[in-house]
Amino acid sequence: MAVYFGCLLNWWVLSLIIGLVAFPLSYFLFKKSYDKGYMFSKIIGLFIVGYLSWLIGFINFSWISITFVILLMAAGSTWVFINNKKEILEFMSEKFALILITELFYLFIFLLYGFFKMYHPDILGQEKFMDFAFMNAVGKSDSMPPYDPWMAGKGMTISYYYFGYVMMGIILKLTAIPNGMAYNVALTYLYAISALGVLGLLYNLTKNYVMGFIAFAFLLVLGNLDGLRQLFHNKGAFMDNFNWWNSTRIMDYENYDYTITEFPFFSFLLGDMHPHQMAIPFVLLALNNALTYIKYEAKMLFEATVEKLSFLIFTGLVLGGLWFLNSWDFPTYFFVTALCVLSYKYGRDEKLETHYKDMGIALGIIFGTAIIAYLPFTLGFKNQVRGIGLVTVNTKVTDYLVIFGAMLFPIAVFLVTRTLNWVYAIKLQGAGSKAKKRDLYCPRCSSVFREGKTICGQCGYMISGDELHLGGMEIPVKKSNETVMSFFKTLIDPAGHKDNKVYLYSIITVVLAIVITVYKTIIDKPSLGFTGMTSGLLFLGLGIVLLLAFTKTEMKENQFVLILIFTALFATWGTEIFRVVDGFNDNVKLRRMNTVFKFYYQAWIMLSIAAAYAFFWVTHFYMKFKPLALKLSWYIIFGLLMVSGFLYTIGGTYIRTKGTYMTLDGGDFFRGFSYDGRLSANGDYQAMDWIKKNIKGHPVILEACGGSYTEYARISSFTGLPTVIGWPWHETQWRGSGDEAGRREADVKEMYETVDLNRAAELLKKYNVKYVYMGALEKDKYAASQAGLQKFNQMADIVYANKADTVIYKIRD
């Protein structure tokens, strides 16, 4: 047990050092934020070390080059600290509570998730072999790009978005933690810094710690509402019969549509260290960047100053990093960033040509940096994407609500109350100066404060933004968009206020929603008779969000959240109409599986943040003025939905940890595991331990080839040594063609089965094989050719053998 916690603390201490070294740079980048970049310093530090180590890695990738990068970052931070010493020390003194809460929260989450992993450490099932193979290959690589552990050979590097594995491999190199434990500690690390990221983002939105914890719950703790459905379905046997897997396969319509509706807690419960999961902390960093733009106070985004150019370039590096981390994320979060830049400019009373020029230069620098900085990856990247196609399937409204319902409720109330606030503001303006004014409340502690004050006397909250004066009376109606204000006036007095543009836009929106619904219901003719109502309702939702966004004078924090809501609804609406054409195109049922998977995952992140902020805003800015019954209804419904989402957390955690013993070693399961229930894996466990201790570098090892999602390729996965071919279908997806994988699969079979020594030697030389592995799976798969298996005794020397008859041969030179 002490060894396991020692590994956790080892990684945790290194992460603290990286975060501390990076803090002055974080301060420089985010000095306008409430947290001054402190809550993101660990993410920023990891990102900088990862990116620079990767670049330098094309020359040399070792613990020496990584240490050099950390020292380089320390030098930059020292320069920033010297030039901002007074401000940084004042921040650390005045915000000591912020720093303490941040670090205690980080340590708590680190230990909590680490403790959970001890109850479910096995690197087994789904795509863990792949993730582990990539992480180990990076850890053993001495240059970039890393070699492909499942397709050995000159020039055969990983053809996948592998930046996350690079960052985890860097920590693996620096800590020297045994790789089976390092995999689980890496997952713990990712969970903890993701928790810090969402805490920091909500703090920068609200200055409120509690809202950060609520956002953390929405993003990383709660599941969807399928847990509630299972509670009623399973009745008294909820825990024992809980199906944690099916909650991410909500849309599973026979012969019609099958999609993945994964969410972050499931990802960390499952334990695959996959790109969409590793990208979470950096997505949150990208969103924090976007929030900075929307809250910009300077007149110009682009000026030839170190501060402004640095932030534009840093934004580009982070967004480009998402392309390298999980390529699906890049267009979405560049879109969010661009909308935030547009919103910042839209709210300023300037000439359009000034807007376009400044925005064009700023976004050009961001986009150009994102592309150029990662060209070494992009130029060698191959994938299965073939284009964009239309979908002929629909999502049930009920399924959509099961997936996102817990978050959609506070968001819907937020949108309604914002609309009501504008209506109230217009009424108040029309009533003149005799209208009754409401008290002003602090948005952090809810204390009443005097008009004209800028700091709350109770909690020290700095009051900022036009609409932090509650109740709507301070909303600058006269400065807002006239058409939008006219829409609200029409709501107040439909008969007395007529604006043709309002009616025109409303009719167009409703008609388009109806057309989309009819098209999806009738033209597509879904075989199971589903309605196309989801796409129509989402389209109406987009219209409502745009209405509020175009007010022009919405509070900046509100505007940011509206952009998140709009993007999430737009992304999920898009999956009802379009799909990415990929390797699943030939199976009608699976055609939009990845499309829904990736965009729903992004939507979950954005809606989690929006839901926590919506709860904050509605609670502090609206419910203050409402009757007790309405307040109680708000809290009760919100609480019930939170509890309903937590049911998945309870059931899933119980099932995944039930009946297991505690260890942090992800390969320990091999000792008592049986392949196909009949072949002992204990011999492999012993042999892999020997390989790790005795085979240096990364020579090619031959092992049996089997199907994806099986236990084949286990030697390359757990040792990092490259093999001739790992999982063929995965290589086909990564490279866009299965020709090479198919040839290699046939060659591996021939190498094991042929009795022709010359042919075997020819093939072994072709793939530069140095070691041949003969374990339980090899002997079983190629049992029909005993003579072929025996030939290695003539061609190679036995360098390892154990009592389980596992043998490793070394090919003679």
Side-chain angles (χ1 to χ4, degrees):
M1 183 67 69
V3 173
Y4 305 149
F5 279 105
C7 291
L8 287 169
L9 291 176
N10 188 356
W11 199 302
W12 173 74
V13 169
L14 180 59
S15 72
L16 287 184
I17 293 171
I18 291 175
L20 183 62
V21 171
F23 171 58
L25 294 175
S26 304
Y27 179 91
F28 176 75
L29 291 165
F30 293 106
K31 61 175 63 177
K32 300 294 185 183
S33 298
Y34 296 143
D35 77 324
K36 307 300 182 187
Y38 185 83
M39 291 176 164
F40 286 91
S41 59
K42 294 177 182 62
I43 301 173
I44 292 171
L46 176 63
F47 176 78
I48 293 173
V49 171
Y51 177 71
L52 293 180
S53 296
W54 171 69
L55 275 186
I56 295 175
F58 283 88
I59 301 171
N60 176 265
F61 185 68
S62 65
W63 70 268
I64 296 175
S65 64
I66 297 166
T67 302
F68 171 74
V69 166
I70 294 175
L71 292 175
L72 191 65
M73 183 172 69
S77 285
T78 301
W79 181 83
V80 172
F81 180 78
I82 290 172
N83 287 277
N84 298 271
K85 181 179 179 181
K86 182 180 178 181
E87 294 87 347
I88 292 175
L89 292 178
E90 283 180 357
F91 165 77
M92 298 185 74
S93 175
E94 293 174 2
K95 298 295 182 180
F96 177 76
L98 168 73
I99 295 171
L100 183 62
I101 290 173
T102 300
E103 295 304 334
L104 288 176
F105 178 70
Y106 179 60
L107 176 60
F108 173 74
I109 296 300
F110 207 100
L111 293 177
L112 181 66
Y113 185 79
F115 187 71
F116 160 76
K117 285 307 298 177
M118 291 182 198
Y119 277 98
H120 190 74
D122 299 351
I123 306 172
L124 177 67
Q126 285 73 52
E127 295 186 300
K128 295 181 185 64
F129 273 26
M130 176 203 116
D131 299 320
F132 197 35
F134 282 175
M135 177 179 168
N136 284 326
V138 169
K140 293 181 74 70
S141 290
D142 46 28
S143 65
M144 291 286 110
Y147 62 83
D148 187 341
W150 282 358
M151 190 170 274
K154 187 176 180 180
M156 289 298 180
T157 57
I158 295 175
S159 182
Y160 197 59
Y161 18 81
Y162 62 85
F163 192 24
Y165 302 106
V166 168
M167 288 188 275
M168 296 306 104
I170 284 171
I171 309 295
L172 175 62
K173 278 181 178 286
L174 292 177
T175 60
I177 295 173
N179 63 351
M181 296 186 190
Y183 179 90
N184 287 313
V185 182
L187 282 170
T188 301
Y189 177 48
L190 288 165
Y191 190 81
I193 59 175
S194 297
L196 274 188
V198 72
L199 183 71
L201 183 56
L202 262 292
Y203 183 77
N204 287 331
L205 272 169
T206 65
K207 270 192 177 178
N208 191 304
Y209 298 117
V210 176
M211 298 307 123
F213 298 142
I214 290 176
F216 162 69
F218 271 123
L219 178 60
L220 292 165
V221 178
L222 301 185
N224 58 36
L225 298 182
D226 185 61
L228 180 63
R229 182 192 62 79
Q230 292 196 48
L231 177 66
F232 289 103
H233 183 266
N234 296 342
K235 298 180 181 178
F238 170 72
M239 298 290 277
D240 291 328
N241 293 333
F242 190 81
N243 191 325
W244 67 279
W245 178 266
N246 281 0
S247 295
T248 62
R249 303 301 188 271
I250 299 298
M251 287 177 271
D252 184 3
Y253 312 143
E254 186 177 358
N255 300 321
Y256 178 61
D257 190 29
Y258 178 82
T259 66
I260 300 172
T261 51
E262 190 170 324
F263 45 87
F265 182 78
F266 170 87
S267 302
F268 285 101
L269 186 68
L270 175 66
D272 284 7
M273 193 163 62
H274 234 43
H276 63 278
Q277 178 182 4
M278 289 189 284
I280 293 174
F282 305 98
V283 162
L284 295 169
L285 175 59
L287 291 177
N288 199 57
N289 286 356
L291 174 62
T292 302
Y293 285 112
I294 208 168
K295 294 175 72 174
Y296 226 62
E297 295 178 356
K299 182 178 180 180
M300 303 293 287
L301 287 167
F302 170 74
E303 287 179 328
T305 64
V306 173
E307 184 176 344
K308 291 191 174 183
L309 281 174
S310 296
F311 194 73
L312 289 171
I313 291 171
F314 178 74
T315 301
L317 285 174
V318 172
L319 289 172
L322 294 181
W323 165 253
F324 193 6
L325 271 158
N326 183 43
S327 298
W328 295 73
D329 286 339
F330 172 67
T332 300
Y333 295 105
F334 181 82
F335 179 73
V336 170
T337 302
L339 288 183
C340 287
V341 169
L342 179 64
S343 177
Y344 150 73
K345 284 296 183 182
Y346 177 66
R348 300 182 65 87
D349 293 323
E350 298 173 0
K351 295 181 180 179
L352 288 178
E353 54 266 28
T354 306
H355 293 344
Y356 294 146
K357 182 178 179 181
D358 190 35
M359 281 194 303
I361 294 174
L363 291 175
I365 292 172
I366 292 171
F367 186 79
T369 302
I371 298 301
I372 295 170
Y374 297 94
L375 279 177
F377 161 71
T378 305
L379 293 175
F381 180 53
K382 298 177 183 178
N383 61 71
Q384 60 176 318
V385 174
R386 305 171 196 169
I388 304 295
L390 293 175
V391 298
T392 56
V393 294
N394 307 319
T395 300
K396 289 180 179 180
V397 173
T398 51
D399 286 345
Y400 193 88
L401 292 176
V402 166
I403 297 167
F404 296 117
M407 295 173 283
L408 289 176
F409 169 71
I411 288 171
V413 175
F414 170 71
L415 296 176
V416 170
T417 54
R418 287 306 305 124
T419 302
L420 292 176
N421 265 152
W422 279 105
V423 169
Y424 173 81
I426 293 170
K427 283 183 176 181
L428 190 64
Q429 184 191 51
S433 58
K434 293 182 180 181
K436 182 181 179 181
K437 291 188 176 182
R438 293 171 173 170
D439 289 331
L440 306 180
Y441 291 90
C442 172
R444 183 179 183 187
C445 68
S446 302
S447 299
V448 177
F449 66 91
R450 295 194 303 274
E451 188 172 0
K453 291 288 185 180
T454 59
I455 298 177
C456 175
Q458 292 294 321
C459 69
Y461 182 87
M462 181 73 70
I463 309 299
S464 61
D466 292 328
E467 295 178 54
L468 286 177
H469 297 280
L470 307 185
M473 65 183 180
E474 296 293 335
I475 295 178
V477 174
K478 291 182 180 179
K479 297 180 181 179
S480 297
N481 183 290
E482 291 183 8
T483 302
V484 177
M485 293 302 103
S486 186
F487 180 90
F488 291 129
K489 291 174 182 177
T490 303
L491 289 179
I492 297 170
D493 184 11
H497 184 83
K498 294 183 179 180
D499 187 323
N500 290 334
K501 285 194 289 186
V502 169
Y503 289 113
L504 177 63
Y505 296 154
S506 300
I507 291 171
I508 290 174
T509 303
V510 173
V511 168
L512 284 176
I514 293 172
V515 168
I516 292 169
T517 301
V518 171
Y519 173 80
K520 296 299 296 179
T521 303
I522 298 176
I523 307 300
D524 279 351
K525 296 181 180 178
S527 59
L528 300 186
F530 301 143
T531 69
M533 192 176 295
T534 302
S535 52
L537 289 175
L538 286 173
F539 189 82
L540 287 176
L542 290 171
I544 294 170
V545 176
L546 278 177
L547 178 71
L548 288 170
F550 276 116
T551 55
K552 192 175 185 178
T553 52
E554 271 283 351
M555 176 176 146
K556 293 179 179 180
E557 289 83 353
N558 286 3
Q559 195 78 344
F560 174 74
V561 171
L562 289 171
I563 288 172
L564 295 187
I565 298 169
F566 177 82
T567 306
L569 295 182
F570 183 65
T572 54
W573 173 79
T575 64
E576 299 294 302
I577 312 296
F578 304 103
R579 63 184 173 89
V580 175
V581 181
D582 54 22
F584 296 98
N585 188 63
D586 294 334
N587 189 325
V588 175
K589 185 177 179 180
L590 302 180
R591 280 183 176 175
R592 70 168 190 154
M593 180 179 71
N594 271 333
T595 304
V596 169
F597 173 23
K598 297 295 186 178
F599 286 113
Y600 271 46
Y601 206 83
Q602 295 170 353
W604 185 284
I605 295 173
M606 289 182 279
L607 292 178
S608 294
I609 295 161
Y613 182 84
F615 175 76
F616 163 77
W617 196 95
V618 172
T619 300
H620 287 79
F621 292 175
Y622 191 80
M623 289 298 169
K624 278 287 178 183
F625 316 114
K626 299 304 173 186
L628 179 60
L630 185 60
K631 292 180 186 178
L632 287 177
S633 299
W634 160 247
Y635 284 115
I636 289 171
I637 296 173
F638 181 83
L640 287 175
L641 288 170
M642 292 284 283
V643 170
S644 298
F646 194 64
L647 288 173
Y648 179 88
T649 311
I650 297 171
T653 302
Y654 175 77
I655 291 295
R656 292 291 279 171
T657 59
K658 181 181 178 182
T660 58
Y661 63 95
M662 290 184 67
T663 180
L664 199 61
D665 184 358
D668 191 65
F669 73 92
F670 275 112
R671 293 193 295 176
F673 185 71
S674 294
Y675 304 118
D676 198 26
R678 57 189 180 85
L679 304 171
S680 174
N682 188 49
D684 289 341
Y685 178 80
Q686 298 173 39
M688 287 187 286
D689 185 59
W690 182 87
I691 290 172
K692 294 174 190 176
K693 293 177 180 176
N694 294 278
I695 298 181
K696 307 302 178 184
H698 40 84
V700 179
I701 189 167
L702 177 68
E703 63 178 313
C705 173
S708 294
Y709 307 105
T710 67
E711 287 80 37
Y712 285 94
R714 79 277 192 208
I715 304 303
S716 55
S717 297
F718 279 76
T719 66
L721 297 183
T723 193
V724 176
I725 183 67
W727 288 354
W729 169 238
H730 276 64
E731 286 289 353
T732 298
Q733 292 182 80
W734 301 334
R735 299 182 184 278
S737 169
D739 295 343
E740 181 65 20
R743 282 193 294 269
R744 287 174 176 247
E745 187 173 3
D747 285 347
V748 168
K749 184 177 186 295
E750 187 174 2
M751 277 187 273
Y752 275 107
E753 292 186 341
T754 184
V755 295
D756 185 336
L757 296 182
N758 291 329
R759 176 57 178 164
E762 178 188 344
L763 289 173
L764 290 168
K765 185 177 180 180
K766 176 182 178 180
Y767 295 108
N768 197 28
V769 174
K770 297 297 182 185
Y771 294 90
V772 175
Y773 191 85
M774 195 72 66
L777 289 180
E778 285 73 22
K779 292 177 180 179
D780 183 68
K781 187 175 182 69
Y782 307 113
S785 181
Q786 288 298 317
L789 298 180
Q790 291 297 324
K791 71 176 177 293
F792 292 111
N793 290 316
Q794 304 174 52
M795 304 176 63
D797 299 317
I798 295 176
V799 293
Y800 175 81
N802 60 35
K803 293 181 180 179
D805 293 330
T806 302
V807 178
I808 300 175
Y809 295 95
K810 184 176 182 181
I811 301 299
R812 300 186 187 116
D813 295 330

